[in-house]
Amino acid sequence: MLVLLPPSETKHPGGDGPPLDLGALATPELTPVRERLVEALVELAADPELTAKVLGLSGKQAAAEVERNAALLTAPTLPALDRYTGVLYDALDVRSLTRAQRARADRRLAVGSALFGLVRGTDAIPAYRLSAGTVLPGLPTLRALWKPVLSPALAAAGELVVDLRSGSYQALAPVPGAVTVEVLSERPDGSRSVVSHFNKAHKGRVARLLATTTAEPADVVRLRALLRRAGLTVEHSGGTALTLVVPADEVTRRDRIPAD
Protein backbone atom coordinates (compact mmCIF):
# COMPACT_ATOMS: atom_id res chain seq x y z
CA MET A 1 0.00 0.00 0.00
CA LEU A 2 1.26 3.46 -0.96
CA VAL A 3 -0.31 6.44 0.82
CA LEU A 4 0.23 9.81 -0.86
CA LEU A 5 0.25 12.83 1.45
CA PRO A 6 0.14 16.52 0.59
CA PRO A 7 3.17 18.59 1.59
CA SER A 8 2.91 21.59 3.87
CA GLU A 9 4.06 25.14 3.33
CA THR A 10 5.51 25.13 6.86
CA LYS A 11 8.54 22.96 7.50
CA HIS A 12 10.85 22.19 10.38
CA PRO A 13 14.04 24.25 10.00
CA GLY A 14 17.57 22.93 10.08
CA GLY A 15 18.44 19.26 10.26
CA ASP A 16 21.36 16.97 10.92
CA GLY A 17 21.66 15.25 7.55
CA PRO A 18 24.14 15.96 4.75
CA PRO A 19 23.30 18.42 1.96
CA LEU A 20 20.73 17.48 -0.66
CA ASP A 21 21.74 14.63 -2.96
CA LEU A 22 19.12 14.45 -5.68
CA GLY A 23 20.57 11.23 -7.00
CA ALA A 24 19.94 9.52 -3.67
CA LEU A 25 16.20 10.27 -3.56
CA ALA A 26 13.69 7.52 -4.29
CA THR A 27 12.10 7.38 -7.75
CA PRO A 28 15.29 8.30 -9.65
CA GLU A 29 13.43 8.80 -12.93
CA LEU A 30 12.29 12.13 -11.47
CA THR A 31 15.86 13.40 -11.09
CA PRO A 32 16.05 15.50 -14.30
CA VAL A 33 12.95 17.52 -13.37
CA ARG A 34 14.15 17.85 -9.77
CA GLU A 35 17.50 19.20 -10.97
CA ARG A 36 15.79 21.69 -13.24
CA LEU A 37 13.51 23.01 -10.50
CA VAL A 38 16.21 23.20 -7.82
CA GLU A 39 18.44 25.16 -10.18
CA ALA A 40 15.58 27.52 -11.05
CA LEU A 41 14.71 28.15 -7.38
CA VAL A 42 18.32 28.83 -6.42
CA GLU A 43 18.69 31.26 -9.32
CA LEU A 44 15.42 32.96 -8.46
CA ALA A 45 16.54 33.43 -4.85
CA ALA A 46 19.27 35.77 -6.09
CA ASP A 47 16.46 38.30 -6.60
CA PRO A 48 14.58 38.44 -3.28
CA GLU A 49 11.94 40.87 -4.52
CA LEU A 50 11.09 38.72 -7.54
CA THR A 51 11.14 35.58 -5.40
CA ALA A 52 8.58 37.07 -3.02
CA LYS A 53 6.35 38.00 -5.95
CA VAL A 54 6.60 34.64 -7.74
CA LEU A 55 6.11 32.57 -4.58
CA GLY A 56 3.40 34.83 -3.15
CA LEU A 57 5.29 35.56 0.06
CA SER A 58 4.29 38.17 2.59
CA GLY A 59 6.80 40.69 3.88
CA LYS A 60 7.28 38.68 7.08
CA GLN A 61 7.84 35.43 5.19
CA ALA A 62 10.09 36.67 2.42
CA ALA A 63 13.52 36.88 4.05
CA ALA A 64 13.45 33.41 5.64
CA GLU A 65 11.94 31.65 2.64
CA VAL A 66 14.32 33.30 0.17
CA GLU A 67 17.22 32.23 2.36
CA ARG A 68 15.95 28.65 2.43
CA ASN A 69 15.70 28.45 -1.33
CA ALA A 70 19.09 30.06 -1.84
CA ALA A 71 20.64 27.35 0.35
CA LEU A 72 18.90 24.33 -1.21
CA LEU A 73 22.16 22.68 -2.23
CA THR A 74 24.10 23.38 0.96
CA ALA A 75 21.55 23.32 3.81
CA PRO A 76 21.28 20.35 6.20
CA THR A 77 18.54 17.82 5.55
CA LEU A 78 15.91 15.85 7.46
CA PRO A 79 13.91 12.77 6.48
CA ALA A 80 10.82 13.94 4.61
CA LEU A 81 8.38 12.73 7.28
CA ASP A 82 10.25 14.81 9.85
CA ARG A 83 10.58 17.87 7.61
CA TYR A 84 6.92 18.69 7.01
CA THR A 85 4.79 20.29 9.73
CA GLY A 86 1.24 21.55 10.14
CA VAL A 87 -2.18 20.13 11.00
CA LEU A 88 -1.96 16.90 9.01
CA TYR A 89 1.54 16.10 10.23
CA ASP A 90 0.64 16.92 13.82
CA ALA A 91 -2.15 14.32 13.58
CA LEU A 92 0.16 11.83 11.88
CA ASP A 93 2.70 12.40 14.68
CA VAL A 94 5.48 10.18 13.36
CA ARG A 95 7.75 11.02 16.28
CA SER A 96 5.52 9.03 18.65
CA LEU A 97 5.62 5.85 16.55
CA THR A 98 7.39 2.74 17.73
CA ARG A 99 10.39 1.60 15.72
CA ALA A 100 8.33 -1.04 13.90
CA GLN A 101 5.53 1.44 13.17
CA ARG A 102 7.99 4.02 11.88
CA ALA A 103 9.53 1.43 9.56
CA ARG A 104 6.08 0.71 8.10
CA ALA A 105 5.36 4.44 7.84
CA ASP A 106 8.62 5.06 5.99
CA ARG A 107 7.78 2.23 3.61
CA ARG A 108 4.15 3.19 2.96
CA LEU A 109 4.00 6.97 3.11
CA ALA A 110 5.13 9.34 0.38
CA VAL A 111 4.69 13.09 0.06
CA GLY A 112 3.70 14.85 -3.13
CA SER A 113 6.05 17.80 -3.62
CA ALA A 114 6.07 20.66 -6.08
CA LEU A 115 9.87 20.66 -5.96
CA PHE A 116 10.74 16.96 -5.76
CA GLY A 117 7.62 15.41 -7.31
CA LEU A 118 7.48 12.65 -4.74
CA VAL A 119 9.55 11.92 -1.65
CA ARG A 120 9.50 8.78 0.45
CA GLY A 121 9.53 8.95 4.23
CA THR A 122 13.28 8.53 4.56
CA ASP A 123 14.31 10.80 1.68
CA ALA A 124 16.62 13.47 3.08
CA ILE A 125 15.48 16.94 1.99
CA PRO A 126 16.18 20.54 3.04
CA ALA A 127 13.55 23.10 3.96
CA TYR A 128 12.23 24.87 0.86
CA ARG A 129 9.34 26.92 -0.47
CA LEU A 130 7.48 26.04 -3.66
CA SER A 131 3.75 25.43 -4.06
CA ALA A 132 1.89 23.46 -6.71
CA GLY A 133 0.37 26.54 -8.32
CA THR A 134 3.63 28.45 -8.70
CA VAL A 135 4.91 29.26 -12.19
CA LEU A 136 8.67 29.81 -12.18
CA PRO A 137 10.13 32.33 -14.65
CA GLY A 138 11.27 30.72 -17.89
CA LEU A 139 9.76 27.31 -17.14
CA PRO A 140 6.53 25.52 -18.08
CA THR A 141 3.89 25.03 -15.41
CA LEU A 142 4.67 22.49 -12.71
CA ARG A 143 1.87 20.29 -14.03
CA ALA A 144 3.47 20.30 -17.49
CA LEU A 145 6.81 19.34 -15.95
CA TRP A 146 5.62 16.68 -13.52
CA LYS A 147 2.70 14.91 -15.16
CA PRO A 148 4.68 13.19 -17.97
CA VAL A 149 7.16 11.61 -15.52
CA LEU A 150 5.39 11.43 -12.16
CA SER A 151 2.06 9.94 -13.28
CA PRO A 152 3.74 6.91 -14.91
CA ALA A 153 5.95 6.45 -11.85
CA LEU A 154 2.93 6.37 -9.56
CA ALA A 155 0.95 4.15 -11.91
CA ALA A 156 3.80 1.64 -11.83
CA ALA A 157 3.70 1.35 -8.03
CA GLY A 158 2.16 -2.10 -8.30
CA GLU A 159 0.18 -1.74 -5.07
CA LEU A 160 -2.95 -0.07 -3.74
CA VAL A 161 -2.52 3.72 -3.88
CA VAL A 162 -4.44 5.85 -1.38
CA ASP A 163 -4.30 9.45 -2.54
CA LEU A 164 -4.76 11.91 0.34
CA ARG A 165 -3.17 14.80 -1.56
CA SER A 166 -5.02 18.09 -1.97
CA GLY A 167 -6.51 18.89 -5.35
CA SER A 168 -3.65 21.06 -6.58
CA TYR A 169 -1.14 18.28 -5.93
CA GLN A 170 -3.37 15.59 -7.40
CA ALA A 171 -3.48 17.73 -10.54
CA LEU A 172 0.32 17.63 -10.88
CA ALA A 173 0.18 13.87 -11.40
CA PRO A 174 -3.20 12.10 -11.36
CA VAL A 175 -3.15 8.42 -10.42
CA PRO A 176 -5.86 6.43 -12.24
CA GLY A 177 -7.46 3.91 -9.91
CA ALA A 178 -6.17 5.49 -6.72
CA VAL A 179 -8.47 5.49 -3.69
CA THR A 180 -9.43 9.00 -2.58
CA VAL A 181 -10.93 10.07 0.74
CA GLU A 182 -13.34 12.97 1.19
CA VAL A 183 -14.07 14.20 4.72
CA LEU A 184 -17.61 15.41 5.45
CA SER A 185 -19.03 16.85 8.67
CA GLU A 186 -22.54 15.65 9.56
CA ARG A 187 -24.84 17.78 11.71
CA PRO A 188 -27.52 16.35 14.02
CA ASP A 189 -30.18 17.12 11.40
CA GLY A 190 -28.36 14.93 8.88
CA SER A 191 -27.07 17.74 6.71
CA ARG A 192 -23.43 17.55 5.64
CA SER A 193 -20.69 19.94 4.64
CA VAL A 194 -17.08 19.70 3.58
CA VAL A 195 -14.70 19.97 6.49
CA SER A 196 -12.19 22.71 5.82
CA HIS A 197 -9.38 23.22 8.33
CA PHE A 198 -9.88 19.92 10.15
CA ASN A 199 -10.01 18.00 6.89
CA LYS A 200 -6.23 17.92 7.24
CA ALA A 201 -6.38 16.64 10.81
CA HIS A 202 -8.72 13.78 9.93
CA LYS A 203 -6.63 12.83 6.91
CA GLY A 204 -3.58 12.86 9.16
CA ARG A 205 -5.29 10.40 11.49
CA VAL A 206 -6.25 8.19 8.57
CA ALA A 207 -2.65 8.35 7.35
CA ARG A 208 -1.41 7.29 10.77
CA LEU A 209 -3.73 4.30 10.79
CA LEU A 210 -2.70 3.24 7.29
CA ALA A 211 0.97 3.78 8.07
CA THR A 212 0.97 1.64 11.19
CA THR A 213 -1.55 -1.14 10.59
CA THR A 214 -0.22 -4.65 10.13
CA ALA A 215 -2.98 -5.28 7.58
CA GLU A 216 -2.29 -5.05 3.85
CA PRO A 217 -5.53 -4.01 2.11
CA ALA A 218 -5.34 -4.82 -1.58
CA ASP A 219 -8.41 -2.93 -2.80
CA VAL A 220 -10.91 -0.25 -1.86
CA VAL A 221 -13.35 -2.73 -0.25
CA ARG A 222 -10.71 -4.11 2.10
CA LEU A 223 -9.49 -0.58 2.83
CA ARG A 224 -13.02 0.49 3.77
CA ALA A 225 -13.30 -2.53 6.08
CA LEU A 226 -10.01 -1.62 7.74
CA LEU A 227 -11.15 1.94 8.39
CA ARG A 228 -14.49 0.76 9.73
CA ARG A 229 -12.80 -1.66 12.13
CA ALA A 230 -10.93 1.35 13.49
CA GLY A 231 -14.29 2.90 14.41
CA LEU A 232 -14.59 5.29 11.48
CA THR A 233 -17.80 5.96 9.59
CA VAL A 234 -16.80 5.35 5.99
CA GLU A 235 -19.14 5.22 3.00
CA HIS A 236 -18.43 3.70 -0.38
CA SER A 237 -20.86 4.21 -3.21
CA GLY A 238 -18.78 2.47 -5.85
CA GLY A 239 -15.62 3.23 -7.71
CA THR A 240 -12.52 4.21 -5.75
CA ALA A 241 -13.86 7.16 -3.75
CA LEU A 242 -14.46 6.82 0.00
CA THR A 243 -16.31 9.31 2.20
CA LEU A 244 -15.27 9.71 5.83
CA VAL A 245 -18.24 11.09 7.79
CA VAL A 246 -17.39 12.92 11.01
CA PRO A 247 -20.06 14.14 13.48
CA ALA A 248 -20.04 17.93 13.61
CA ASP A 249 -19.30 17.92 17.33
CA GLU A 250 -16.19 15.83 16.67
CA VAL A 251 -14.72 17.91 13.87
CA THR A 252 -12.24 19.46 16.25
CA ARG A 253 -11.60 16.26 18.19
CA ARG A 254 -7.87 15.75 18.65
CA ASP A 255 -7.70 12.14 19.77
CA ARG A 256 -5.62 9.87 17.60
CA ILE A 257 -6.89 6.88 15.63
CA PRO A 258 -5.30 3.81 17.22
CA ALA A 259 -3.03 1.58 15.20
CA ASP A 260 -4.49 -1.73 14.07
Side-chain angles (χ1 to χ4, degrees), residues 179-201:
V179 176
T180 59
V181 179
E182 181 182 29
V183 183
L184 296 180
S185 170
E186 185 172 71
R187 301 179 184 87
D189 64 4
S191 62
R192 295 177 174 181
S193 62
V194 176
V195 177
S196 54
H197 178 70
F198 286 97
N199 171 61
K200 296 179 181 179

Side-chain angles (χ1 to χ4, degrees), residues 1-7 27 81 88-89 108-113 117-120 150-151 153-155 157 159-166 169-170 173-176 178-181 203 206-207 210:
M1 176 170 52
L2 174 63
V3 182
L4 301 180
L5 304 178
T27 325
L81 286 182
L88 186 150
Y89 291 90
R108 291 174 176 165
L109 300 182
V111 183
S113 165
L118 186 78
V119 285
R120 290 287 188 157
L150 183 52
S151 283
L154 291 172
E159 54 191 335
L160 179 69
V161 176
V162 183
D163 195 348
L164 301 181
R165 295 176 298 171
S166 55
Y169 285 90
Q170 288 180 346
V175 186
V179 176
T180 59
V181 179
K203 284 190 174 181
V206 168
L210 299 183

Side-chain angles (χ1 to χ4, degrees), residues 48 51-53 55-66 129:
T51 298
K53 180 179 179 181
L55 300 184
L57 302 174
S58 67
K60 291 182 179 180
Q61 296 172 318
E65 299 294 356
V66 169
R129 183 63 174 256

Side-chain angles (χ1 to χ4, degrees), residues 64-248:
E65 299 294 356
V66 169
E67 183 178 352
R68 284 181 170 183
N69 284 354
L72 279 174
L73 295 172
T74 58
T77 56
L78 282 173
L81 286 182
D82 296 300
R83 176 63 73 189
Y84 296 100
T85 64
V87 175
L88 186 150
Y89 291 90
D90 287 345
L92 175 58
D93 192 15
V94 293
R95 297 189 178 190
S96 70
L97 299 179
T98 66
R99 182 175 299 181
Q101 289 173 335
R102 179 60 189 259
R104 284 194 291 272
D106 286 337
R107 186 169 64 250
R108 291 174 176 165
L109 300 182
V111 183
S113 165
L115 179 56
F116 301 114
L118 186 78
V119 285
R120 290 287 188 157
T122 56
D123 279 338
I125 59 172
Y128 67 92
R129 183 63 174 256
L130 183 66
S131 300
T134 302
V135 179
L136 295 173
L139 291 181
T141 65
L142 293 177
R143 177 181 170 86
L145 288 168
W146 281 125
K147 186 178 179 182
V149 292
L150 183 52
S151 283
L154 291 172
E159 54 191 335
L160 179 69
V161 176
V162 183
D163 195 348
L164 301 181
R165 295 176 298 171
S166 55
S168 59
Y169 285 90
Q170 288 180 346
L172 292 183
V175 186
V179 176
T180 59
V181 179
E182 181 182 29
V183 183
L184 296 180
S185 170
E186 185 172 71
R187 301 179 184 87
D189 64 4
S191 62
R192 295 177 174 181
S193 62
V194 176
V195 177
S196 54
H197 178 70
F198 286 97
N199 171 61
K200 296 179 181 179
H202 288 292
K203 284 190 174 181
R205 293 167 186 144
V206 168
R208 182 181 174 92
L209 170 64
L210 299 183
T212 58
T213 180
T214 56
E216 291 285 352
D219 55 41
V220 65
V221 174
R222 290 178 175 86
L223 178 64
R224 178 195 61 187
L226 170 65
L227 296 175
R228 286 180 172 177
R229 286 199 303 272
L232 302 180
T233 301
V234 181
E235 297 177 351
H236 178 220
S237 57
T240 58
L242 295 178
T243 301
L244 173 61
V245 182
V246 183

